[in-house]
Amino acid sequence: MASAGGGALSILEYFGGEDGNRCGYCKSEASNMSHGMWAHTLTVQDYQDLIDRGCRRSGKYVYKPLMNQTCCPQYTIRLSTSNFHPTKSHKKVLKKVLKYLHVGEVSHSKDEGTSGEPMDSQAESPVSCNVSILDKSEIPEEELKPLNIEQEETEKDRESDKQEATHVSSPGLCDKEEHCIQSAEGETCSHSNPKPGKGADVTKPPCRKAKDIRKERRMQKLLHQQTDKASLPERPSAKPTCKAKGSKSVEDFISVTPPENAAHHLEVRLVRSSPPSSQFKASFQESYQVYKRYQTTIHQDPPDKPTISQFTRFLCDSPLEPETRPDGPACGYGSFHQQYWLDGKIVAVGVIDILPYCVSSVYLYYDPDYAFLSPGVYSALREIAFTRELQKRAADLCYYYMGFYIHSCPKMRYKGQYKPSDLLCPETYLWTPIEKCLPLLELSKYTRFNSNPKEGDRDLLTELGRVRVLYKRTVMPYSIYKKRRKGPNDEVAVKQYAGLVGQTCAERMLLYRN
């Protein structure tokens, strides 16, 4: 029996709804509610369908928040990479990295990246599981990939305001200073009442706000440019017009040829993590040391928490079966580590899944010494560009999944600034542009995005008997299994599982029962 994964079969154990555990977002106790499954094996198509129903994985543990019960509803968010254009703040990060690579110096504060970027990964809120195969205490807490909002331009504007305001109001200041100096030089300093003022000096221009002066200068500059263009003769446009100023893509920045005397060299390597490739094995220890430093420095984990086994279970083990297709990407589908090598050493690693329709970001960790380069934002932009590169060969692979968007947690709203993005409706499992979702989320942290009351789950469970079960090493439909099974009736749990994954996956995947 072959599945959509080219012969492989997905095998999962279902644990039911959680009793509730500590929330990594609002920090409240026993309020984070979710369903949990342990995936022994999982095809990339099955996992694609599961995340399109609101699921995510942490290692081999697949979970789905109980959206109408959990304290901080987590909405799956995806970005259309074909239509993505970097914002001004994104370009600042790209320019900063480029300058560092070429020149070797960038202006940054001592604590930039750590205080301004408290959390950098895409890993979602931890979920607990009351089974021996998963140690819930060793799953790191929720973290996020930062959106580093640069303040360079703001500081420049403030300094400009200060200088121009001083320049405009300097006559009055000079008069006051001169009066004080003359009083100090005299034998006595009289404290007589000030004489009545003479009013504004009509021979000098009136005081104006620096903001108004800058605005006037910009308008004059624009008028001057338009006059220059109007004076030039029109030329026939034999070629398409060039891109407007400021419309550079991510690829325009990362494809710049470095100078011969470049200060640093950056190489991004994609290595398969499951099953581990030879390149992954060769760099495992170095990658783990970066992870350990990241967890203990950025997230203040105790030194004994980020162990090799915890790192392996959390970020290296994956249930995804590797797969290649004639019309798929050359690297194939499955789980990978995207390693950032700077001058011959690993400085950051992005953990990603390559699926039929998307690149799904799982986690990011980096060397804290390079936090000033905003690795969270930079790696996200590189992964977006990587997705577009894969799409050249796999046309359906056109989305970048950033995990969950949590509107009730302000620190998680940054993901909505990568546009155009969609949120997954928790009831219909249809995608809705985030701009239409935000007003609804302002009213209620849990909401249905689809406005059509007649629209429902198109993959709703309709035939429980067709759910596939793996029982005593034999694959059978649930209708046969429930007749052979001895012991307490488990129909409620099976029905809950099938409703979670949908009719299509329930008939394709195998539910392990013992």
Side-chain angles (χ1 to χ4, degrees):
M1 278 175 273
S3 75
L9 288 171
S10 298
I11 304 174
L12 301 96
E13 287 185 71
Y14 178 65
F15 302 132
E18 300 295 335
D19 295 331
N21 49 75
R22 186 173 185 271
C23 179
Y25 305 107
C26 66
K27 309 303 180 184
S28 60
E29 299 294 335
S31 60
N32 184 12
M33 312 292 290
S34 66
H35 288 292
M37 299 180 288
W38 184 264
H40 295 276
T41 60
L42 197 59
T43 68
V44 292
Q45 184 60 59
D46 286 340
Y47 185 53
Q48 176 73 68
D49 292 344
L50 287 178
I51 63 174
D52 284 341
R53 291 183 65 85
C55 296
R56 293 286 289 174
R57 77 172 184 89
S58 175
K60 290 189 173 184
Y61 186 66
V62 180
Y63 63 99
K64 178 182 178 182
L66 293 172
M67 297 290 283
N68 59 349
Q69 298 180 35
T70 191
C71 54
C72 298
Q74 304 160 42
Y75 300 89
T76 301
I77 182 172
R78 72 177 185 183
L79 169 75
S80 174
T81 57
S82 302
N83 302 312
F84 170 76
H85 298 286
T87 64
K88 191 173 183 178
S89 61
H90 294 156
K91 292 177 183 178
K92 284 184 178 180
V93 172
L94 292 168
K95 290 177 182 177
K96 179 169 61 175
V97 173
L98 201 60
K99 181 179 179 181
Y100 178 75
L101 295 176
H102 291 181
V103 182
E105 295 180 359
V106 292
S107 58
H108 61 278
S109 60
K110 182 179 179 181
D111 58 350
E112 182 179 353
T114 54
S115 62
E117 302 174 14
M119 292 187 278
D120 298 79
S121 73
Q122 290 278 10
E124 305 311 330
S125 178
V127 282
S128 62
C129 176
N130 297 322
V131 291
S132 58
I133 51 179
L134 184 66
D135 187 349
K136 66 179 180 180
S137 65
E138 293 189 343
I139 298 180
E141 289 191 357
E142 161 61 30
E143 314 179 10
L144 61 152
K145 191 170 291 186
L147 182 61
N148 184 28
I149 304 299
E150 298 292 336
Q151 298 183 351
E152 180 181 352
E153 180 173 299
T154 303
E155 295 298 331
K156 286 182 179 179
D157 289 345
R158 288 176 181 171
E159 186 62 28
S160 178
D161 284 347
K162 183 178 179 180
Q163 292 175 353
E164 294 186 18
T166 302
H167 172 74
V168 171
S169 59
S170 58
L173 290 175
C174 290
D175 291 344
K176 186 174 182 180
E177 290 170 1
E178 184 179 357
H179 172 73
C180 294
I181 294 172
Q182 289 176 350
S183 299
E185 290 177 348
E187 295 180 1
T188 60
C189 182
S190 62
H191 297 279
S192 59
N193 294 329
K195 297 180 180 180
K198 297 180 180 180
D201 190 344
V202 295
T203 63
K204 297 178 180 178
C207 294
R208 301 165 59 196
K209 291 184 178 180
K211 182 179 179 181
D212 294 334
I213 295 175
R214 290 202 311 273
K215 185 177 180 180
E216 182 180 337
R217 288 176 180 172
R218 285 197 298 268
M219 291 299 296
Q220 290 176 350
K221 185 176 180 181
L222 289 173
L223 289 173
H224 182 70
Q225 292 175 347
Q226 292 176 358
T227 303
D228 290 345
K229 290 180 180 179
S231 63
L232 295 174
E234 293 186 4
R235 293 180 296 177
S237 56
K239 297 181 180 180
T241 56
C242 296
K243 291 187 294 184
K245 183 180 179 181
S247 63
K248 281 187 176 182
S249 66
V250 178
E251 291 82 355
D252 291 333
F253 288 96
I254 64 178
S255 62
V256 173
T257 303
E260 293 183 0
N261 60 342
H264 302 285
H265 174 69
L266 176 66
E267 180 185 0
V268 181
R269 301 178 187 174
L270 183 72
V271 296
R272 184 178 287 278
S273 56
S274 180
S277 64
S278 57
Q279 298 94 330
F280 178 82
K281 292 178 180 178
S283 59
F284 178 84
Q285 280 295 334
E286 184 175 355
S287 182
Y288 163 67
Q289 291 301 326
V290 174
Y291 170 76
K292 185 175 182 179
R293 284 201 64 203
Y294 171 80
Q295 293 296 132
T296 56
T297 304
I298 302 298
H299 300 292
Q300 284 77 50
D301 282 357
D304 59 341
K305 184 176 180 180
T307 62
I308 289 182
S309 60
Q310 184 267 345
F311 169 68
T312 302
R313 289 197 305 271
F314 179 45
L315 295 176
C316 304
D317 290 346
S318 170
L320 300 186
E321 291 291 322
E323 184 181 334
T324 56
R325 300 178 184 178
D327 58 347
C331 60
Y333 300 97
S335 298
F336 298 83
H337 281 197
Q338 203 164 40
Q339 302 173 338
Y340 293 79
W341 291 75
L342 183 66
D343 299 333
K345 69 175 184 178
I346 298 177
V347 296
V349 177
V351 182
I352 60 174
D353 292 331
I354 300 179
L355 305 176
Y357 307 139
C358 73
V359 168
S360 176
S361 181
V362 178
Y363 200 77
L364 171 78
Y365 56 94
Y366 58 82
D367 187 333
D369 290 343
Y370 297 91
F372 66 91
L373 290 177
S374 307
V377 178
Y378 185 74
S379 64
L381 297 173
R382 291 292 301 237
E383 288 169 8
I384 291 171
F386 177 61
T387 305
R388 291 204 281 224
E389 183 65 27
L390 297 180
Q391 189 186 5
K392 293 178 181 179
R393 181 162 175 173
D396 292 337
L397 209 164
C398 57
Y399 292 104
Y400 176 60
Y401 282 49
M402 296 176 281
F404 289 136
Y405 174 86
I406 301 95
H407 193 76
S408 58
C409 179
K411 291 186 294 184
M412 294 297 290
R413 295 185 183 182
Y414 77 94
K415 296 182 181 182
Q417 299 184 31
Y418 290 80
K419 299 177 180 179
S421 292
D422 303 315
L423 296 185
L424 187 69
C425 178
E427 297 181 9
T428 64
Y429 302 110
L430 299 177
W431 296 99
T432 304
I434 192 171
E435 292 78 11
K436 295 183 178 180
C437 303
L438 296 181
L440 299 173
L441 291 171
E442 285 294 325
L443 299 175
S444 174
K445 64 181 181 180
Y446 171 76
T447 185
R448 169 192 171 104
F449 299 138
N450 192 286
S451 59
N452 183 1
K454 296 182 180 180
E455 186 71 61
D457 181 3
R458 298 182 180 181
D459 200 26
L460 184 68
L461 175 66
T462 55
E463 298 183 59
L464 184 63
R466 295 176 62 88
V467 174
R468 297 180 80 190
V469 177
L470 178 62
Y471 179 60
K472 293 185 177 180
R473 298 188 177 184
T474 304
V475 177
M476 63 188 72
Y478 177 73
S479 58
I480 301 297
Y481 157 78
K482 70 177 182 179
K483 295 178 181 178
R484 296 185 181 181
R485 174 182 169 82
K486 296 180 180 180
N489 188 295
D490 61 353
E491 183 172 328
V492 173
V494 175
K495 190 173 183 179
Q496 196 176 55
Y497 153 82
L500 168 69
V501 304
Q503 185 76 43
T504 301
C505 281
E507 293 185 25
R508 197 167 60 204
M509 303 188 303
L510 301 182
L511 173 63
Y512 174 77
R513 308 304 286 175
N514 53 20

